Amino acid sequence: DAGVIQSPRHEVTEMGQEVTLRCKPISGHNSLFWYRQTMMRGLELLIYFNNNVPIDDSGMPEDRFSAKMPNASFSTLKIQPSEPRDSAVYFCASSPMGRGLGYGYTFGSGTRLTVV
Amino acid sequence: SQKIEQNSEALNIQEGKTATLTCNYTNYSPAYLQWYRQDPGRGPVFLLLIRENEKEKRKERLKVTFDTTLKQSLFHITASQPADSATYLCALPYNNNDMRFGAGTRLTVKP
């Protein structure tokens, strides 16, 4: 298995532009997570899907952020419009079970987003 | 509010020694706790899970303890090697059992 695949690896965009980050989870994993990592705040959970359904989006910073999971093998995180404070590394992770069984997460390599 | 604290931002040790990293938590009653390793420019990699009814767990040179009374987990790397240099993160399950992470401890093992 190729693991969790994220694209792009790096994204530099101008303030106000739309940014779309993509994730392909491990086949058979039914839970998918989007995290954001910064030096100041560490790893923060943005949103969590189970069986393609959003379970908890309380970590999404504001309405400029949206996430979709149209099928079991693909998810997107969109920021529109982007702002310099959105600059961070965004990670996607997947796990075989959603609740209570404590499986470890498999993370992708991340997308480093820079908004100038 | 719930907090996860990894008490050392950075830890430097000599090769061959045992590294001990600490994870403390407040306002949690976790059924389990996880440890991850993160290398620069990479995503975290899952290492170990320990459940609340397990006092200790081992995997090769790694040992994790979990004290639910002290609300603390200790992560040990014995016979440390320069290749063990990385940031180590502890993680606890939150409301929906999605994992929340500590800030991490950056370990440097010097030859």
Side-chain angles (χ1 to χ4, degrees):
Chain A
D1 199 324
V4 175
I5 300 172
Q6 290 187 247
S7 63
R9 283 282 276 144
H10 302 275
E11 177 81 35
V12 180
T13 191
E14 291 186 345
M15 182 173 65
Q17 296 297 306
E18 176 181 304
V19 175
T20 299
L21 311 181
R22 297 172 176 80
C23 175
K24 177 179 168 53
I26 290 177
S27 176
H29 283 192
N30 63 350
S31 294
L32 182 140
F33 308 85
W34 283 99
Y35 285 85
R36 176 171 69 176
Q37 188 173 41
T38 61
M39 289 293 292
M40 289 296 294
R41 301 174 67 92
L43 261 175
E44 301 175 280
L45 178 69
L46 300 177
I47 188 168
Y48 156 37
F49 291 88
N50 191 40
N51 293 322
N52 312 339
V53 175
I55 302 299
D56 184 352
D57 65 354
S58 60
M60 296 286 261
E62 48 198 90
D63 292 346
R64 297 185 298 106
F65 285 69
S66 63
K68 293 182 180 179
M69 192 164 185
N71 56 61
S73 59
F74 185 64
S75 177
T76 59
L77 178 68
K78 184 182 293 186
I79 308 173
Q80 180 186 23
S82 58
E83 296 182 3
R85 60 192 168 119
D86 301 330
S87 298
V89 181
Y90 291 80
F91 287 105
C92 175
S94 70
S95 172
M97 295 297 290
R99 285 180 175 261
L101 299 182
Y103 288 88
Y105 290 7
T106 302
F107 282 78
S109 295
T111 295
R112 180 174 294 277
L113 174 65
T114 304
V115 183
V116 298
Chain B
S1 62
Q2 295 164 314
K3 288 186 180 179
I4 304 170
E5 294 179 341
Q6 295 188 244
N7 66 340
S8 298
E9 190 174 309
L11 179 65
N12 298 317
I13 64 167
Q14 208 66 35
E15 182 176 8
K17 301 293 186 184
T18 296
T20 298
L21 286 65
T22 304
C23 177
N24 294 295
Y25 56 92
T26 55
N27 297 324
Y28 273 101
S29 296
Y32 57 90
L33 182 149
Q34 298 178 350
W35 283 89
Y36 289 75
R37 167 183 173 142
Q38 186 174 23
D39 291 285
R42 309 291 294 272
V45 175
F46 172 71
L47 295 175
L48 278 170
L49 176 152
I50 185 165
R51 300 188 188 276
E52 61 179 339
N53 61 348
E54 298 175 313
K55 295 292 185 187
E56 181 181 298
K57 200 150 191 185
R58 293 175 184 260
K59 179 182 177 182
E60 298 173 353
R61 295 183 295 110
L62 308 181
K63 185 179 87 170
V64 172
T65 63
F66 192 15
D67 189 324
T68 55
T69 301
L70 291 179
K71 295 187 181 297
Q72 180 181 81
S73 176
L74 298 179
F75 177 85
H76 306 272
I77 305 175
T78 58
S80 60
Q81 304 166 0
D84 296 325
S85 298
T87 295
Y88 292 86
L89 305 154
C90 68
L92 280 77
Y94 197 56
N95 287 335
N96 296 299
N97 283 296
D98 49 276
M99 302 305 292
R100 304 300 167 106
F101 288 79
T105 297
R106 188 174 64 253
L107 173 68
T108 302
V109 181
K110 300 185 178 180

